[in-house]
Amino acid sequence: MPLSEHEQRMLEQMERALYAEDPKFASALEGSGLRTYTRRRVYQAVAGFLVGIALLMAGMVAQLIWVSVVGFLVMLGCAVLAVTGWRKTPKPGEQPAGAARRQVQPKRSMMDRIEQRWQRRRDEQGH
């Protein structure tokens, strides 16, 4: 059910107010926040990988096998995080993977169902 003109104006006013009050939060809601989050996660994983290499080398120099094993496990875990994070990062201008599916088959939200019931009751009472 499309929004009325009044509802559309109210929605636009609320969006403008949100951008005016908290532009950082508003931009995070647009989807670019997901790209920033996954990119930051990849950078953290790369830094962790470098820490793992340092632990591996330190364990070999100090002849402590358990430190080398911990370093290797840190490297492995961070490599997995980096690869999975890099694959999930949406390209600039691209929608997140779940958004495309939602547009193909829109699910009716609970609010849509409530609104539809309300509209039906108003129509029934009007007759």
Side-chain angles (χ1 to χ4, degrees):
M1 181 166 122
L3 297 175
S4 69
E5 289 181 33
H6 175 70
E7 291 171 332
Q8 287 177 346
R9 282 194 303 267
M10 293 294 290
L11 182 60
E12 289 171 1
Q13 285 177 345
M14 290 184 334
E15 287 175 352
R16 283 193 298 269
L18 177 63
Y19 278 105
E21 285 182 27
D22 196 354
K24 187 176 180 181
F25 177 68
S27 66
L29 291 177
E30 287 181 339
S32 64
L34 176 65
R35 186 173 59 244
T36 304
Y37 169 76
T38 53
R39 191 174 294 152
R40 186 179 326 133
R41 183 175 157 195
V42 168
Y43 292 148
Q44 290 171 348
V46 169
F49 188 83
L50 295 174
V51 168
I53 289 174
L55 283 172
L56 181 72
M57 292 300 188
M60 293 182 81
V61 169
Q63 294 182 349
L64 296 171
I65 302 240
W66 67 273
V67 174
S68 295
V69 170
V70 169
F72 176 76
L73 292 176
V74 168
M75 288 171 49
L76 183 64
C78 289
V80 168
L81 283 176
V83 170
T84 57
W86 192 261
R87 287 183 182 168
K88 290 180 183 178
T89 305
K91 306 292 182 266
E94 182 181 56
Q95 291 180 345
R101 270 186 266 132
R102 274 184 254 129
Q103 285 181 351
V104 173
Q105 293 180 337
K107 291 184 178 180
R108 290 177 44 196
S109 69
M110 184 175 92
M111 288 304 294
D112 288 339
R113 292 191 306 266
I114 291 171
E115 187 176 329
Q116 188 178 26
R117 288 179 193 154
W118 178 258
Q119 194 68 23
R120 235 183 320 183
R121 286 183 188 144
R122 283 182 41 194
D123 292 343
E124 289 172 0
Q125 288 177 357
H127 289 112

